[in-house]
Amino acid sequence: MAPSSKAEKKAAVDASAWMFNVVTSVGIIIVNKALMATYGFSFATTLTGLHFTATTIMTLVLRWLGIIQPSHLPLPDLLRFVLFANFSIVGMNVSLMWNSVGFYQIAKLSMIPVSCLLEIVLDKVRYSRDTKLSIGLVLVGVGVCTVTDVSVNTKGFVAALIAVWSTSLQQYYVHHLQKKYSLSSFNLLGHTAPVQAGSLLLLGPFIDYWLTNNRIDAFNYTLPSVIFITLSCTIAIGTNLSQFICIGRFTAVSFQVLGHMKTILVLILGFIFFGKEGLNIHVVVGMIIAVAGMVWYGNASSKPGGKERRSLSLPKQQKNGADSAQLDDAKV
């Protein structure tokens, strides 16, 4: 196949993976908002455990169909990943509860520089000046859109610190483990989802009771609420899979930068479906700045020297298997 054809195919698959992630992520936000606001199902940690249970069932079916091939992930790496992932889930929930919306948004924005730091220190990645400036422009734009009142307290700051670092480490390890052990997104989910499901379903009810003072077994399960829970779990399969695909293809930093496009889309959908009272000039200006920064980042990071590793050596494990990007090309 000609190089231009390969590049076009990669671009098409990248775009499809990204749109898959955007649609499922925005969809699950809307469904979960209705589930929690309308039906009072406030058990976010346990709900995430149900999401990973549904994802585990999906991976088992795909393995039974032969779509997922046997693979190996050492137990220490698996446990390390699940630890970061679970701290990320609980940390984000606690941070949202204990902090103002403004400080919560600032904490989310800080994941980009933290992810950059991890890539610089652990992967010896070097960013060009334009790439750094474009990331800064995205942060400014999203900050203008979303950051309103900002109040900080000690326990909220600690929760945000744990949430930011654990989320950044979890997203870094998605890319790192796929490359190190030549795992496709399906393979990695097949290893991690069952452990996350079991641990979150075990700890989730206690964490949710601590956060909300409500017991999940005392919740009034009506037919509409069960339908929304099922719908949330179904969409979560796509969200979890698309996240692994995107980080595997784009790295954690690119995923974070492009991920703020979902923030812009959620704001726009909110204006469309829930009224325009929140639409004002500084929000519109922030959207324009953020989108411009994302376009600039895509252009700057793709240029020679825009974002590159100082060492080009590959892990030994990668020589013995197919590249994860190639596996995803066949399965996306």
Side-chain angles (χ1 to χ4, degrees):
M1 186 181 292
S4 60
S5 298
K6 289 183 178 180
E8 290 172 0
K9 179 184 177 183
K10 183 181 183 303
V13 175
D14 286 349
S16 299
W18 180 244
M19 286 306 300
F20 182 30
N21 180 256
V22 169
V23 170
T24 55
S25 298
V26 174
I28 202 169
I29 288 172
I30 294 173
V31 170
N32 286 353
K33 183 176 181 180
L35 178 62
M36 294 179 182
T38 305
Y39 301 103
F41 191 87
S42 57
F43 311 100
T45 307
T46 306
L47 181 61
T48 306
L50 294 175
H51 290 168
F52 280 106
T53 300
T55 303
T56 299
I57 295 172
M58 181 270 294
T59 61
L60 291 174
V61 171
L62 293 179
R63 183 174 288 117
W64 178 69
L65 293 173
I67 296 175
I68 297 180
Q69 301 301 320
S71 60
H72 175 66
L73 179 62
L75 184 60
D77 283 317
L78 172 61
L79 295 179
R80 189 180 300 117
F81 175 87
V82 171
L83 181 67
F84 292 146
N86 287 356
F87 266 102
S88 168
I89 292 164
V90 176
M92 293 302 291
N93 290 339
V94 173
S95 177
L96 182 59
M97 174 167 285
W98 287 351
N99 291 309
S100 66
V101 174
F103 187 72
Y104 176 77
Q105 291 294 343
I106 288 176
K108 287 182 67 177
L109 290 175
S110 68
M111 290 179 192
I112 291 182
V114 170
S115 295
C116 288
L117 179 63
L118 289 174
E119 288 193 353
I120 290 170
V121 173
L122 299 178
D123 286 345
K124 309 301 181 185
V125 170
R126 187 181 333 193
Y127 295 92
S128 68
R129 186 192 65 172
D130 280 0
T131 304
K132 295 175 185 176
L133 290 174
S134 65
I135 290 173
L137 191 63
V138 172
L139 294 176
V140 170
V142 177
V144 170
C145 285
T146 60
V147 176
T148 52
D149 62 305
V150 179
S151 59
V152 186
N153 59 77
T154 303
K155 65 179 185 179
F157 178 81
V158 172
L161 192 67
I162 292 173
V164 168
W165 276 95
S166 58
T167 302
S168 299
L169 283 164
Q170 181 254 345
Q171 292 184 352
Y172 169 82
Y173 265 89
V174 170
H175 184 79
H176 173 74
L177 294 177
Q178 286 191 49
K179 297 300 179 184
K180 183 177 182 181
Y181 297 108
S182 298
L183 298 172
S184 71
S185 305
F186 290 94
N187 288 130
L188 186 56
L189 264 182
H191 288 292
T192 60
V195 183
Q196 282 191 262
S199 57
L200 290 173
L201 289 178
L202 180 65
L203 299 175
F206 300 100
I207 295 172
D208 288 331
Y209 180 76
W210 172 54
L211 292 174
T212 66
N213 204 33
N214 293 318
R215 289 169 43 187
I216 191 169
D217 59 310
F219 179 74
N220 181 27
Y221 292 93
T222 61
L223 180 60
S225 66
V226 171
I227 290 174
F228 269 86
I229 291 171
T230 304
L231 181 59
S232 177
C233 292
T234 302
I235 299 175
I237 295 173
T239 305
N240 290 331
L241 177 59
S242 63
Q243 181 190 38
F244 277 40
I245 292 174
C246 286
I247 296 177
R249 301 183 72 87
F250 303 135
T251 76
V253 172
S254 296
F255 181 75
Q256 282 286 344
V257 172
L258 295 173
H260 286 300
M261 179 61 75
K262 290 178 284 189
T263 303
I264 304 300
L265 288 175
V266 169
L267 286 172
I268 293 173
L269 289 174
F271 298 145
I272 293 173
F273 293 109
F274 303 109
K276 299 183 179 180
E277 64 273 4
L279 182 61
N280 52 54
I281 187 64
H282 84 267
V283 172
V284 174
V285 170
M287 288 181 181
I288 295 172
I289 293 172
V291 172
M294 292 170 199
V295 173
W296 187 11
Y297 173 81
N299 183 55
S301 62
S302 63
K303 289 181 178 179
K307 180 181 177 182
E308 59 185 9
R309 282 174 171 76
R310 295 172 196 168
S311 174
L312 298 178
S313 60
L314 296 175
K316 291 181 180 179
Q317 292 91 334
Q318 192 170 342
K319 296 178 182 179
N320 298 324
D323 182 80
S324 64
Q326 292 175 332
L327 290 170
D328 285 335
D329 281 344
K331 296 186 175 88
V332 172

